[in-house]
Amino acid sequence: MSKIMSFTKIALKNLVSKPATTSYPFEPKEYPERTRGHVVLDDDPCILCGMCMRSCPPGAIKVDRAGGTWAINGYDCIQCGYCVEKCPKKCLSIVPGYTEPSSEKTIQTVKVEVPPPPKPAAKPAAPKPAADKAPENKE
């Protein structure tokens, strides 16, 4: 009889209390402060230096300077944040949240417009050295 009473107590409590689960698709998930997320590139300050690619432990980031592209394989990325720390222009960041689920492995590629390096200023022509003049003989 006591088991029926304890079950009834739990059932009544669950009927009048709020649900323990969240309504995820309808309300956005709030992630804790130190949750890992996914890497996002702000392509305006990026100079395609490749420091993020060299510091990535699993090799998820590929930088093609000749093609002007930056790519990340979200399935290989372990969200460690080394690329964010090593970026000299601070154009990488980790955004809380997870990558959208997909049935196919995709690589996120970003075309980066890097301005050409400034041309060095033309140096003014050096003055021509005076021709050695022979001393005039006064005789």
Side-chain angles (χ1 to χ4, degrees), residues 24 38 75 98-104 106:
Y24 167 66
H38 59 277
Y75 290 94
Y98 300 103
T99 307
E100 288 290 323
S102 174
S103 60
E104 299 176 5
T106 57

Side-chain angles (χ1 to χ4, degrees), residues 2-136:
S2 67
K3 288 185 180 184
I4 293 174
M5 293 302 283
S6 64
F7 173 74
T8 307
K9 181 179 174 185
I10 293 171
L12 289 175
K13 179 181 171 190
N14 287 338
L15 284 174
V16 295
S17 64
K18 292 175 69 175
T21 59
T22 60
S23 54
Y24 167 66
F26 307 109
E27 294 178 16
K29 174 85 171 138
E30 292 183 25
Y31 298 101
E33 181 181 335
R34 302 218 6 127
T35 302
R36 294 180 180 179
H38 59 277
V39 178
V40 176
L41 171 73
D42 179 16
D43 60 342
D44 287 339
C46 183
I47 57 173
L48 295 175
C49 63
M51 290 299 293
C52 55
M53 179 177 69
R54 289 189 286 274
S55 66
C56 184
I61 299 174
K62 302 291 180 216
V63 176
D64 180 16
R65 293 188 87 179
T69 59
W70 181 91
I72 185 166
N73 185 340
Y75 290 94
D76 289 344
C77 180
I78 58 172
Q79 292 91 16
C80 61
Y82 289 152
C83 56
V84 176
E85 291 176 15
K86 297 292 181 180
C87 182
K89 293 292 187 172
K90 302 300 179 205
C91 56
L92 291 176
S93 60
I94 293 186
V95 177
Y98 300 103
T99 307
E100 288 290 323
S102 174
S103 60
E104 299 176 5
K105 289 186 177 183
T106 57
I107 298 175
Q108 177 190 0
T109 304
V110 178
K111 181 77 173 162
V112 179
E113 296 293 329
V114 179
K119 294 180 180 178
K123 293 181 181 178
K128 294 181 180 179
D132 291 335
K133 294 183 181 180
E136 295 178 15

